[in-house]
Amino acid sequence: MPAPKAPIRRADTQAWLVTGPLIVIGFLMAMPGLFFDQAHPIMENIQFAPVLLLFAILATHMQLRLDVRRQVLAIGMNDVPILLALYYLPPVLVIVIRIIAGLTWYLFNVRPGPHKIVFNAASHFAGVAAATLVLYGLHIGTASEPRTWLVLALAIVANNIVTLAAVASVMTLVQGVAHLPQFLRTALPGFGVMAVGIVLGLVMLLTLQASPWAILFLIFIAVVMVLANRAYARFLRQHRSLMEMYGLTRDIASTNHDGTLPDVLLGRVRALLVADSASLWLPPQGRHQEILLSARFDYPGLLDTAPTPDLFRELAMRTGRTVAVGPRVGDPELRTALQEASVKDIIVVPLRSGRVTIGTLEVAGRLGERTAFGKDDVQLIETLSAHTGVAVENSRLVDRLQFDANHDSLTGLANRRRMLEALGEAMSGRGQQREVVAVLLFDVVALRQVNDSLGHAAGDKVLVEVARRLRALAPQGALVGRVGDDEFAIELRTASADAAANVADTLRQGLRDPMVIDSLTIDIDTYVGVAIYPEHGTEPEELLQRAHVATHVAKSRGIVQVFNAGLQSRAVRRVGLAADLRTALAGGELEVYFQPKVALTDRRLVGVECLARWEHPVHGQVAPPDFVAVAEHTGQLNRLNDVVLREAIRRAREWDDAGRPLVVSVNLSTRTLGDSELPLQISELLDEHGVPADRLILEIAEDEGLLAGGRALSTLTRLRDLGVRLSVDDFGAGRSSFADLSRLPVQEVKIDRTFVQGMATSPSDLAIVRTIVDMARNFGLDVVAEGVESELTLGLLEDMRCDMGQGFLFSRPLPYERFESWLQVQTAEDSAEAPAGEVRWLRAVP
């Protein structure tokens, strides 16, 4: 939208271009009356000249003032003494009286420049000259003749028309012709006032004709009218001010929620004080930037500049007092600074919130050549400032509340509510564009461990740093928000789901740079899920929920995961399993399966891993990752662990009593290690069944939560002190190294099955397994190879001198009765020399 066109504004000194011709025209119109009217009919009344001069001077105070842009049209009782002077005095005296009366008040109240003085004198001269020309052409008779009334009325009309034409000419020259229609419309009511003045003048003329002493009554009436006019004008100003104050207060109250306070405030203040400009200045405060806005009389909008010199603003802020400077008001130094800024007068009022000065409200340049700001104006703007200060603070409070409602207090990012609003806006504005709206959801890994080990203050610093990095790395136009405790979302437009996944991967890599928190270097990773509109959802909440589903899957796969329908069905199924799992745990429906662990040096059965299995009455066999995830998110994990631990320890007691001592292994989630009561719970179970602590191995998955230490490390240490053996499960699939494991009190490492199963065909997998076995031996750790499914794999492991193996080559996980049968068959003694527990035939049990 183009900016409003600036108004034309030329120098006031160009009024000379009108003044010169006006003097010439006035002289030409005055010549007949001055040089050819040899016998004025009322020459014997020359003694009325001083009285009429005094009357004319007093009449200048009895005016209806109309401010039109930077000019003032004064219409009022001036016509009464002029009408009387036209009847009683010769033209030359009428001209002199009009010029003196017109300039006396002007000179004493405004002190204008020479060009303005001369112009006003010329306009008065030309107006009276036109009136005398009418009298010369039409002649007048006695005061009682209606014809005389008509001639005098026409003379007054001619006087006003010429004066009005002179002012219109100057306005057109200085400010352009565009404002002439407005000036004429404003001046039109003045002709009605002129008619009242003509009638009043004729009444006075007839009264004087009846008796010359009536002049005393006329003088008395004139004084009373002057005083009444001033009182009425003051009343009108007060009434207008009260109405404007009411309107301003009402309008300010309605702008606290829409951000239009400066527009309404400055427009009202400027109009109320009839000023050329009104300005609002608010210095920077907190997150609020500096505000400087001005409403100008000749500009339709708001400007970001103000005519007020900084000196006045700083003085008001420093002293907390109003600064008012004008042609005859204020310190001389301030008046000099005001003149240098080409401003006629100014009022600067400090805005307060309580006892604190928060800014200034300013008006500059009282409109009208004959007026300046006075005490009443100062009191008025001080009253306005009190309302304005409260309104500004209320506006900032509303703004702050709106900001807080849409932003996270810790990071300053958009919160979940704002993110959903932005998604809705992006969806509705997409139209037929080829781009898609994408949501990238980042879940910060191991934040809980940072909180546990370093405190929540450190965790907050991590979140702030993640927010900063995301803001810096996010593409232009993307919205970054924090939508959960450790979850961040980015809304952006991109070409496709693949492009969104690439962006997510780039951002994830950028977040992996080490962070220094409280002199400690912390490695932070994130899981990322991606969902796009419209393929994955048509509502903001639905799209964000599906990004959550993708993020949850990304946790188990370690990659950026794009949502698909299969993920949703699995997630929905998990939600439905929550109540069923609680019932299954309470009713003992979960079953514990057992898978053997075999020593590879002599192929002797040394232990079993205890695994939970759940046969759902509707869904059938539920995968362990599904119901374990349900247990984690519904607070049932401790109950699930208790079921497996209790069954494993009870069976260990039974096997020991049967002469087959076996070590039992139980998987624990890293989240379980955050429970400080876990060591006590295990100790009580071991004591209850009389099982030595070293018969129990707890397997913990290799992830960042384990490596971060904190409360998890404390729990592990207490378990080790208890005598329980500890094992790192699925080693090699994560990011840890033996240097990381050296900090943990573990005695065993289980190689991830993916490397074991591929070692027979993949040289790289074979090298990884060989390295893990060698390094574990150097660190004094036992090694268990998971996923042993072939004789070739078994032979390779034996060559490496791997300690133990576990896999389908020996047996699948079996329920207790079937495991007992397998155990009886596999450990049957063929001879008295065969050691108990030796696995004679290594065949799989389907």
Side-chain angles (χ1 to χ4, degrees), residues 492-560:
L492 63 119
R493 292 181 180 273
T494 186
S496 63
D498 291 339
N502 291 335
V503 172
D505 187 63
T506 301
L507 295 178
R508 184 188 182 199
Q509 297 301 324
L511 291 173
R512 282 182 171 178
D513 293 340
M515 300 180 184
V516 178
I517 305 296
D518 294 336
S519 301
L520 297 176
T521 300
I522 300 176
D523 293 324
I524 294 296
D525 198 2
T526 54
Y527 302 123
V528 190
V530 178
I532 61 171
Y533 167 83
E535 284 81 355
H536 300 154
T538 57
E539 296 295 331
E541 188 70 48
E542 181 183 25
L543 199 65
L544 190 59
Q545 181 268 332
R546 291 184 172 177
H548 273 282
V549 172
T551 304
H552 182 77
V553 176
K555 292 181 180 180
S556 60
R557 299 183 180 179
I559 60 173
V560 173

Side-chain angles (χ1 to χ4, degrees), residues 155-170:
I156 296 299
V157 171
N159 171 50
N160 282 280
I161 289 176
V162 171
T163 303
L164 181 64
V167 175
S169 299
V170 170

Side-chain angles (χ1 to χ4, degrees), residues 695-829:
R695 296 287 179 86
L696 175 65
I697 297 178
L698 298 178
E699 298 182 4
I700 300 97
E702 177 208 10
D703 62 13
E704 286 79 357
L706 176 64
L707 300 177
R711 185 178 298 178
L713 180 59
S714 175
T715 302
L716 290 174
T717 302
R718 292 172 60 194
L719 288 170
R720 181 201 61 189
D721 296 341
L722 185 64
V724 174
R725 293 174 57 81
L726 302 173
S727 176
V728 177
D729 197 14
D730 299 330
F731 186 78
R735 298 172 53 195
S736 61
S737 65
F738 278 100
D740 296 320
L741 293 181
S742 66
R743 303 194 301 266
L744 301 176
V746 298
Q747 295 84 29
E748 181 182 275
V749 172
K750 296 186 73 172
I751 305 175
D752 186 78
R753 69 179 65 251
T754 57
F755 300 114
V756 176
Q757 291 172 345
M759 61 185 291
T761 57
S762 171
S764 60
D765 287 345
L766 178 61
I768 291 174
V769 173
R770 189 183 305 277
T771 301
I772 294 176
V773 172
D774 292 341
M775 293 295 293
R777 184 179 301 109
N778 293 331
F779 277 86
L781 301 176
D782 295 334
V783 183
V784 180
E786 295 185 286
V788 181
E789 298 181 358
S790 69
E791 290 286 353
L792 179 57
T793 300
L794 179 62
L796 293 172
L797 291 171
E798 288 176 338
D799 292 340
M800 297 176 193
R801 291 187 297 171
C802 180
D803 298 308
M804 287 168 280
Q806 180 180 342
F808 290 175
L809 181 65
F810 307 119
S811 174
R812 295 176 181 273
L814 300 171
Y816 178 72
E817 291 77 9
R818 293 187 62 191
F819 178 76
E820 279 291 307
S821 300
W822 177 90
L823 190 60
Q824 291 292 338
V825 172
Q826 296 295 340
T827 61
E829 295 184 353

Side-chain angles (χ1 to χ4, degrees), residues 550-702:
T551 304
H552 182 77
V553 176
K555 292 181 180 180
S556 60
R557 299 183 180 179
I559 60 173
V560 173
Q561 178 66 52
V562 179
F563 175 83
N564 60 65
L567 304 181
Q568 176 68 7
S569 60
R570 184 178 180 186
V572 171
R573 184 186 177 205
R574 284 184 176 178
V575 172
L577 291 176
D580 296 338
L581 178 61
R582 185 174 289 104
T583 301
L585 289 171
E589 297 176 13
L590 262 72
E591 191 173 0
V592 177
Y593 279 41
F594 304 91
Q595 186 175 27
K597 295 170 65 175
V598 177
L600 300 186
T601 55
D602 53 8
R603 301 194 180 184
R604 180 171 51 88
L605 180 66
V606 294
V608 292
E609 182 176 0
C610 305
L611 303 167
R613 294 294 184 264
W614 181 22
E615 184 74 23
H616 192 278
V618 176
H619 301 295
Q621 191 73 35
V622 181
D626 286 344
F627 67 76
V628 170
V630 171
E632 288 182 344
H633 289 87
T634 57
Q636 303 180 72
L637 187 59
N638 288 339
R639 177 68 180 129
L640 176 61
N641 290 333
D642 182 71
V643 169
V644 180
L645 281 168
R646 188 174 294 276
E647 179 67 8
I649 294 173
R650 184 171 71 88
R651 295 304 180 184
R653 177 72 270 167
E654 293 178 358
W655 289 324
D656 191 61
D657 293 341
R660 292 196 299 260
L662 296 176
V663 175
V664 291
S665 300
V666 177
N667 288 285
L668 289 183
S669 168
T670 306
R671 183 173 298 184
T672 305
L673 299 178
D675 183 5
S676 60
E677 300 297 323
L678 179 64
L680 178 60
Q681 175 189 357
I682 292 176
S683 177
E684 290 176 349
L685 285 174
L686 293 172
D687 292 343
E688 179 183 345
H689 294 87
V691 175
D694 59 0
R695 296 287 179 86
L696 175 65
I697 297 178
L698 298 178
E699 298 182 4
I700 300 97
E702 177 208 10

Side-chain angles (χ1 to χ4, degrees), residues 9-24:
R9 177 64 181 169
R10 301 186 180 93
D12 292 342
T13 55
Q14 294 196 23
W16 288 109
L17 298 176
V18 175
T19 302
L22 194 62
I23 294 174
V24 174

